[in-house]
Structure formats: structure tokens, C-alpha cells
Amino acid sequence: MTDITQRLILVAVVLVVAVILRVVLVMIINRSVRALASRVPDSDDAASGRSGLLSRAGGVARERQRQRVTTLGSLMRNVVDVAIGIITLLTVLSIVGIPMGPLLASAGVGGVAIGFGAQSLVKDYLSGIFMLAEDQFGVGDIITVGEIKGTVLEVTLRVTKLRDFTGVVWYVRNGEILTLGNISQGFSVEWIEFPVAIDEDPDKVIAVLRDALDGMSEEEAFAEVLMNEPEVLGVDSMSGGTMIIKLAVQAHANQHWAAVREVRRRAQEACTAAGIRKPILYPATPQ
């Protein structure tokens, strides 16, 4: 058997071992992620008899923990791929007969020149480490990065993968994320402007709206969504033939959409039943 054949066999063995090792490590990571994500806290909400609001808060905390574990799993798979790739490459080069000493020495000299060109890469990795360590966002969160708003699909040390609401997948370098808004943390508040005729009685309109929205947070469809009753704040502005009544809907993070639509529907039906008129439209003045 020639020397070249032996080296080719060794290279093939190294590649096979690397593939098997990656499969095993990824399998272990996936199982660990599933186990941690499905773990239920010892203090179960039903057993402890906590109130509904605290129970919902516990559910949000568990969901947040699941997202963090999923994000950590994505990161660990990325680290495994990079580590195995580098080790396999160096091993193959050594088997082929490329001397590693001069290569590493030249890499030290060339690293200075490459370092200037790799500054953005280092910046991406450092930013990714800090974002994950500080739990700025996780897989499944809806975030806003610059003009991009979408759901986080995957997080690695170098890039964050997002899918916006039109289905487009965006790859954002972590080092380019200067300002980030996380819609999935905490709670969401939606401000609603409800227009009526300017000569309507404000007290009557406010009373009708409050009656229409009273008890909404206790209904089964919205008990797990709303954090409190929708608020009718009062008159916000008046101009032309329109008076704007301001309403506020506070819900758990990114769960307010259905509640907001229902608030608008109920407000419209209640005002129509009470005979409250819509804004007065004045005819356009001729030019």
C-alpha cells in the first residue's frame, strides 16, 4: 500500500469520525434543549393557588425560559460546527504532510494583516456573546432592528436570522445591531384613537365606551391576554368636525392584536346603539 493511499484512508477516517462526532454532539444538544425546555418549575401555579395574574406571569416566565434554552441550543450547535471544522481541517493538513510549524508561524505574521480586515468579524462575535449573555432576545421573540421587524428564527455568534411578516428571511450581522427593540418582553400597550362628532357630549361618549368595555379582561377569550381592563382615557384632541377619544389596551407581550380589534368593534357597536355620531365631514372648499 502506497504512502498516498494510506494518507487518503486516514483523511477519510478523520472525516468520518468528524461527521459522527458532530451528529452525536448535536443529538446530545437537541435532547438537552428539549429536556430543559419542557422542565416545569417545582412551584406549580395550580398547586400553589396563586391568582390568575400571577399564574399568567409564571407562564410568561416559563415561555421566556424556553426561548432562552432554544437560543442557547442554537448557539451550541454553531460552536460545535466551528470547533469540529477547525480541528478536522488542521488534522487533515497534518496528515497530508503540510508542516504545521511554519504554517502557524506565518499565520502569526499574516494574522496581523488579516486582523485589520477581520475587525468586523470579531465585532460580530463579541456582540453576539454579549447579546446572549444579557438575554436581549431569543429564538421566537419578535424584535425590531433598524427598519426590520420580524421573528427570530436562529441566533449564532455572528448573525441573527429573522423572518418578517411578509415571509422574507433577513440575516443581520450582530455587530451591526446598534439599536434593538424586543416586542416579546414585558407587555404591550396599544393606543386607540376613536373619532366621534365634535359636538357630542364627551362625558356621554366616555361613559358609553366604559360600559361597553367593562369586564372584558375577565372573559374567557381575553383573560390570558389582557393584563387589566381597557382604559378610556378621555378626549385627546379636537379639530375640524372630529373629537378624538383616547383608549389604551395593555396586554401580555405581543398578544394585544386580537384584543385591540375587539375593543374597536365593541366601541363602534356601543356608540352606534347610543346614537353617537361619527365625525362631521365638511365639504371641501373650492380652489
Side-chain angles (χ1 to χ4, degrees), residues 76-287:
M76 292 302 297
R77 286 190 292 269
N78 181 253
V79 171
V80 166
D81 289 340
V82 173
I84 291 179
I86 293 176
I87 295 174
T88 302
L89 177 61
L90 294 177
T91 304
V92 170
L93 291 177
S94 177
I95 293 174
V96 170
I98 298 178
M100 301 304 297
L103 182 62
L104 294 176
S106 61
V109 177
V112 178
I114 296 175
F116 289 103
Q119 290 182 28
S120 60
L121 185 62
V122 175
K123 180 181 178 182
D124 293 340
Y125 276 88
L126 290 178
S127 298
I129 292 173
F130 281 112
M131 284 190 299
L132 292 171
E134 296 169 0
D135 189 29
Q136 296 180 13
F137 60 88
V139 174
D141 282 352
I142 297 178
I143 65 174
T144 300
V145 180
E147 297 181 355
I148 303 173
K149 180 179 179 181
T151 303
V152 179
L153 299 179
E154 185 180 3
V155 181
T156 67
L157 287 179
R158 195 178 71 85
V159 297
T160 296
K161 185 178 178 181
L162 305 173
R163 184 185 298 278
D164 67 17
F165 299 116
T166 64
V168 178
V169 176
W170 297 84
Y171 295 85
V172 183
R173 286 171 44 201
N174 294 332
E176 298 299 319
I177 300 178
L178 302 179
T179 303
L180 181 144
N182 193 329
I183 303 174
S184 299
Q185 288 185 356
F187 58 87
S188 299
V189 177
E190 180 76 9
W191 305 97
I192 301 175
E193 295 183 348
F194 190 78
V196 297
I198 195 171
D199 57 355
E200 289 287 348
D201 182 3
D203 293 332
K204 175 184 176 182
V205 178
I206 293 173
V208 168
L209 292 176
R210 285 177 177 168
D211 288 341
L213 303 176
D214 184 45
M216 184 174 170
S217 65
E218 299 176 1
E219 298 177 8
E220 182 178 356
F222 300 103
E224 299 296 327
V225 175
L226 294 174
M227 300 183 68
N228 48 43
E229 294 287 352
E231 296 184 70
V232 182
L233 304 178
V235 179
D236 186 62
S237 63
M238 293 183 291
S239 62
T242 303
M243 176 171 59
I244 299 295
I245 306 297
K246 197 84 165 187
L247 299 90
V249 178
Q250 185 178 23
H252 292 289
N254 200 44
Q255 298 184 29
H256 61 286
W257 306 108
V260 168
R261 289 191 290 268
E262 180 64 15
V263 166
R264 288 197 175 101
R265 186 189 69 81
R266 296 188 183 191
Q268 174 62 30
E269 289 184 351
C271 288
T272 300
I276 297 173
R277 294 173 295 123
K278 299 304 292 178
I280 301 172
L281 301 179
Y282 295 106
T285 57
Q287 297 294 332

